[in-house]
Amino acid sequence: MRAVVQRVLEASVEVDGARVGAIGRGLLVFVGCAPGDDASKADALARRLVQARIFPDAAGRMNLDVIATGGSVLAVSQFTLLGDTSQRRPYFGGALEPAAAARLYDRFLAAVKQLNVPIAAGVFGAHMRVASVNDGPVTLIYEE
């Protein structure tokens, strides 16, 4: 699994003009699933992101995780994270087939929720409009 994570002051996602998820301070997480990914990888990725010390402490050092800050997670499925961009037109054959990817995405959402972090989500497979205010900016890539 691959995730692009942005520390945000706020983020939201809309589908067909309707807001389906929004958070204040926290993590905007774009999630892509690849062949070979399984439930254990979804669980491990959730733990890593929730425990990532990427929020500033009182001294301004990245020393706090999303739980310590009372933040939330907004997760958005994004198969394009697995795209091969070596050619002018990206190839997406490296992404997991949609039905299996949807199950893993749902597992990731459940794993974050089980770690007692408020979570909002986009709609798997939908065309979404994502808005965010990046904080820092801080953007990291995680692979599990």
Side-chain angles (χ1 to χ4, degrees):
M1 293 184 77
R2 182 174 294 158
V4 172
V5 178
Q6 296 183 324
R7 187 177 77 189
V8 296
L9 297 174
E10 61 185 56
S12 63
V13 60
E14 293 181 0
V15 175
D16 295 328
R19 182 177 276 191
V20 295
I23 63 169
R25 186 175 190 199
L27 300 174
L28 172 58
V29 181
F30 297 99
V31 180
C33 303
D37 289 345
D38 58 19
S40 67
K41 287 189 177 186
D43 294 345
L45 181 62
R47 275 191 310 277
R48 283 185 67 200
L49 297 181
V50 167
Q51 296 172 354
R53 294 171 29 176
I54 60 175
F55 290 89
D57 62 15
R61 298 188 60 151
M62 284 192 199
N63 208 24
L64 302 175
D65 60 32
V66 71
I67 295 172
T69 64
S72 304
V73 171
L74 174 59
V76 176
S77 63
Q78 190 169 354
F79 75 94
T80 60
L81 293 179
L82 285 297
D84 175 355
T85 59
S86 62
Q87 303 295 319
R88 288 180 44 219
R89 181 179 179 162
Y91 172 70
F92 299 108
L96 187 60
E97 61 91 10
R103 287 190 298 273
L104 277 181
Y105 175 68
D106 288 342
R107 175 67 179 244
F108 172 79
L109 297 176
V112 171
K113 186 176 183 177
Q114 198 168 35
L115 293 166
N116 297 314
V117 175
I119 186 159
V123 176
F124 185 89
H127 183 94
M128 294 174 270
R129 292 181 59 137
V130 180
S132 67
V133 178
N134 198 312
D135 182 21
V138 173
T139 302
L140 301 163
I141 299 170
Y142 287 82
E143 303 230 21
E144 199 54 56

